[in-house]
Amino acid sequence: MANSSEASRLKEETWFQRIVRRPEIGAFVVMVVIIVGLMFASDGKAFNALGLKNNIKIISQFGIIALGAAMLMIAGEFDLSIGSMIGFAGMSMSLMLKWGLPFGLGEATPFMAFALTLVMTLGLGWFIGTVVVRSGLSSFIVTLAFLFFLRGATEVGFRLINKSTQVSGLQDFKEDSWFAHFLGGELFGWFYDAWYWIGMQFVDLGFDRKEQWFTLGGNINRRGEQWVEGFDARFLWFIVISMAAYFILSRTQLGNWIFATGDNKDAARANGVPVNRVKIGLFMFTAFCATMFAACQVFDTNTSDAAKGNLMELFAIAIAVVGGTLMTGGFGSIVGVVFGAITVGLVSNAVFFIPQIDGAWFRVFVGTILLAAVFANERIRKRITGGI
Amino acid sequence: MTEPYMRVENLVKQFGPFTALGGVDLEVYPGEVHALLGDNGAGKSTLIKNLAGVHQPSSGQIYIEGKPVNFRSPRDASNAGIGTVYQDLALNPLMSVTRNFFMGRELKGMFGTLRMDEMNQIAHDEMLTIGIDFSDPTQAVGTMSGGQRQTLAIARAIYFGAKVLILDEPTSALGQRQQMGVLKTMMRVRSRGDIAIIFITHNEIHSKLVADRFTFLSLGKVIGQGTRETLEGGEIRRLMAGGAELGDLAKELADIG
């Protein structure tokens, strides 16, 4: 048959070739290089008990918003309002916690402050999405408008209610509210407990904390006690959101609709995919991710200010692209975005572990890998669409 | 003679003052290829858009198995068994064969999860029945040739219940070899016996190779209709050119020179 011989012209690939051609391979290689490089350059400090906690914290922050941005980009749209949405959500929550619920509804519990804020941000996400799909305008320009609008509204809101553009010294809600604890507290204590236990076993064998290079210090502080108690709760949300995103994209009908919407929305529509609802839903998802980012920050630090989340939308998009997401939509990898978040997070923190380097190199690095990633992604797109 | 699956009676479509279709009659029988021929602007696209529910006729009636139907949307038409494969095929090049095959109509298990293995198997089997042995349905559509994509779109329409398969210029923009592949696919569908194919084309040779029945459109009207037996080659060519004799055309050209 004519057609079957055509199909057989596609070369059979070995597993190695398949792995090398995966979209996340570039992000993976860069990540491994950064991890190994940082390990040596920081003399292991970047991954000792406290270093790992701090690195995971920033990786999770980047990761949460990058996953939202990536899902939306796969559906063919951008959201430049993520950073301002973080500021807005942080303002909303901290003001409610400090001054009480709106309309004199009394004291705000952490849950009420979070829930009301989430209702507002999801509403904003819905509104942004609706404007984009109804007007047919580029989401770039619509969300740019909301970048300014929300940042301005955040600052105005702070001044009107609080007289100052920052809130500090909030009560430490995570102490007695399990809800706040799950956003701003420390979780996965068992990991650090186990690390400490292992460290103590080697101390008993005669290896001092400083000699335990193989356990990276064994989670023991100078006084011989357990050093770090757990990871930031953000880590949990990063894991939850990335697993949910992976599951939705690869295993569900909604995932198929997201890919179809971003690839060729007319074809998707012709086959009955509710393109507009998919897009609006994903604008709400980025708003959700921004709200989680802000909530973790507010309940962790008990502070908030009008500049929070500045430039985060650009980091989110950069990480999504580094992870193999196409700017034109229709293609992307959640695993790649996770690798990208790890890479960018580690490099942004590197200056704390290698004090002799200038912290500004971080942006030089991000710019470089972003450009490299765009070229690599373009090759992937050509390979897939170029066809025979 | 079997009953026509679909019958169109005196279909008129007006866009404001412009009459795109001026009373078209058409009968489509299962197991037959019905070639719809005509020059650019003859009204072929308008006619199939009326049949596919994209446009609503200004007057006239469409009957499915003898019953009058009105399609208010493409979904109505597709529920009534009209599967339209447009020239752009409505495929997503970056997605896999299976994901394209089931786009918008995915098979779901519990919690909305995709039954991926089953879908892969169906996509593979359905394409095999009409002529492509595509060993890896997880491959992106972007890697397929134009003819293979056409086959995918046809297999998809049939699997989702098309009884009338409307193919909008399926052989244009393909190489010679792939055109033949598409014609073979059409013949395999025809040999199933239960599906009627409306084959829109410019190409007289292709229509003569596969069609059982012909309808010629010119300026929104039917200028000739008949079966393979009743029409002669010369007649087909004359009707194809909108009723003008090729000899007349040669003379006109000579006059200009």
Side-chain angles (χ1 to χ4, degrees), chain A residues 163-225:
Chain A
K163 306 280 184 278
S164 138
T165 57
Q166 50 181 317
V167 167
S168 58
L170 286 170
Q171 180 194 333
D172 197 10
F173 289 101
K174 57 182 175 287
E175 289 292 309
D176 38 38
S177 156
W178 63 267
F179 184 79
H181 179 73
F182 267 84
L183 287 166
E186 286 183 339
L187 300 173
F188 302 108
W190 51 266
F191 178 85
Y192 278 104
D193 293 346
W195 195 343
Y196 173 66
W197 184 82
I198 292 168
M200 289 309 280
Q201 300 304 307
F202 283 106
V203 168
D204 292 346
L205 289 173
F207 291 95
D208 186 36
R209 173 175 83 92
K210 298 223 173 200
E211 292 157 349
Q212 283 194 36
W213 58 268
F214 42 86
T215 64
L216 294 164
N219 192 19
I220 304 165
N221 68 12
R222 266 182 215 138
R223 292 189 298 278
E225 297 155 347

Side-chain angles (χ1 to χ4, degrees), chain A residues 146-311:
Chain A
F146 278 91
L147 178 151
F148 289 113
F149 177 90
L150 286 174
R151 185 64 72 189
T154 302
E155 212 172 311
V156 169
F158 263 121
R159 289 232 178 77
L160 277 180
I161 298 168
N162 195 48
K163 306 280 184 278
S164 138
T165 57
Q166 50 181 317
V167 167
S168 58
L170 286 170
Q171 180 194 333
D172 197 10
F173 289 101
K174 57 182 175 287
E175 289 292 309
D176 38 38
S177 156
W178 63 267
F179 184 79
H181 179 73
F182 267 84
L183 287 166
E186 286 183 339
L187 300 173
F188 302 108
W190 51 266
F191 178 85
Y192 278 104
D193 293 346
W195 195 343
Y196 173 66
W197 184 82
I198 292 168
M200 289 309 280
Q201 300 304 307
F202 283 106
V203 168
D204 292 346
L205 289 173
F207 291 95
D208 186 36
R209 173 175 83 92
K210 298 223 173 200
E211 292 157 349
Q212 283 194 36
W213 58 268
F214 42 86
T215 64
L216 294 164
N219 192 19
I220 304 165
N221 68 12
R222 266 182 215 138
R223 292 189 298 278
E225 297 155 347
Q226 180 165 349
W227 189 16
V228 178
E229 301 292 336
F231 288 111
D232 284 283
R234 292 176 179 85
F235 189 30
L236 172 71
W237 296 109
F238 177 43
I239 294 171
V240 168
I241 294 176
S242 55
M243 293 199 1
Y246 179 82
F247 178 75
I248 287 172
L249 268 188
S250 59
R251 298 267 184 280
T252 69
Q253 179 179 48
L254 179 59
N256 211 32
W257 289 358
I258 291 172
F259 281 122
T261 301
D263 196 343
N264 175 354
K265 67 175 190 302
D266 297 321
R269 199 174 271 135
N271 285 291
V273 175
V275 171
N276 288 352
R277 269 168 44 211
V278 167
K279 285 191 177 180
I280 292 171
L282 288 172
F283 275 106
M284 292 170 76
F285 181 63
T286 59
F288 168 77
C289 292
T291 310
M292 292 308 292
F293 183 110
C296 292
Q297 204 162 49
V298 167
F299 288 111
D300 177 19
T301 63
N302 302 316
T303 62
S304 157
D305 74 74
K308 279 280 187 288
N310 199 16
L311 283 183

Side-chain angles (χ1 to χ4, degrees), chain B residues 49-100:
Chain B
K49 280 183 177 156
N50 277 282
L51 301 183
V54 178
H55 295 326
Q56 282 73 50
S58 308
S59 71
Q61 188 62 55
I62 301 170
Y63 299 90
I64 298 277
E65 293 182 309
K67 287 190 273 295
V69 287
N70 289 307
F71 301 142
R72 284 182 307 278
S73 69
R75 187 144 285 233
D76 282 358
S78 109
N79 288 342
I82 314 256
T84 314
V85 178
Y86 292 106
Q87 259 171 304
D88 66 8
L89 303 177
L91 292 174
N92 276 337
L94 291 167
M95 290 164 69
S96 74
V97 171
T98 304
R99 281 174 179 271
N100 267 287

Side-chain angles (χ1 to χ4, degrees), chain A residues 361-382:
Chain A
W361 282 109
F362 163 55
R363 292 187 184 188
V364 175
F365 172 80
V366 171
T368 309
I369 58 167
L370 181 60
L371 197 61
V374 172
F375 280 107
N377 293 353
E378 191 55 22
R379 277 193 57 208
I380 291 171
R381 193 185 65 76
K382 283 213 183 98

Side-chain angles (χ1 to χ4, degrees), chain A residues 1-10 12 18 247-274 326 328-331 380-388, chain B residues 75 88-95 98-100 102-108 111-116 119 128 131-136 138-149 151 156 177-178 181-182 184-185 188:
Chain A
M1 276 181 291
N3 284 317
S4 66
S5 67
E6 232 170 73
S8 60
R9 275 162 63 186
L10 277 172
E12 279 289 316
R18 272 188 179 251
F247 178 75
I248 287 172
L249 268 188
S250 59
R251 298 267 184 280
T252 69
Q253 179 179 48
L254 179 59
N256 211 32
W257 289 358
I258 291 172
F259 281 122
T261 301
D263 196 343
N264 175 354
K265 67 175 190 302
D266 297 321
R269 199 174 271 135
N271 285 291
V273 175
L326 285 189
T328 43
F331 193 77
I380 291 171
R381 193 185 65 76
K382 283 213 183 98
R383 196 184 71 220
I384 298 173
T385 55
I388 298 167
Chain B
R75 187 144 285 233
D88 66 8
L89 303 177
L91 292 174
N92 276 337
L94 291 167
M95 290 164 69
T98 304
R99 281 174 179 271
N100 267 287
F102 286 93
M103 194 194 332
R105 287 167 289 210
E106 294 83 356
L107 300 184
K108 285 187 295 178
F111 316 115
T113 51
L114 296 175
R115 304 211 296 270
M116 212 63 193
M119 282 161 53
L128 184 61
I132 299 191
D133 186 5
F134 215 78
S135 54
D136 183 10
T138 61
Q139 203 179 319
V141 162
T143 61
M144 298 168 91
S145 70
Q148 291 173 327
R149 291 181 203 200
T151 310
R156 178 171 68 181
R177 196 170 141 81
Q178 295 184 359
V182 171
K184 280 185 198 166
T185 303
R188 283 191 202 99

Side-chain angles (χ1 to χ4, degrees), chain A residues 91-110 112-113 116-117 120 161-162 167 170 173:
Chain A
M91 168 202 69
S92 162
M93 265 177 275
S94 60
L95 289 186
M96 281 189 221
L97 291 169
K98 183 174 180 186
W99 299 99
L101 294 171
F103 314 116
L105 289 170
E107 288 266 303
T109 61
M112 282 306 290
L116 273 181
T117 301
M120 277 193 279
I161 298 168
N162 195 48
V167 167
L170 286 170
F173 289 101

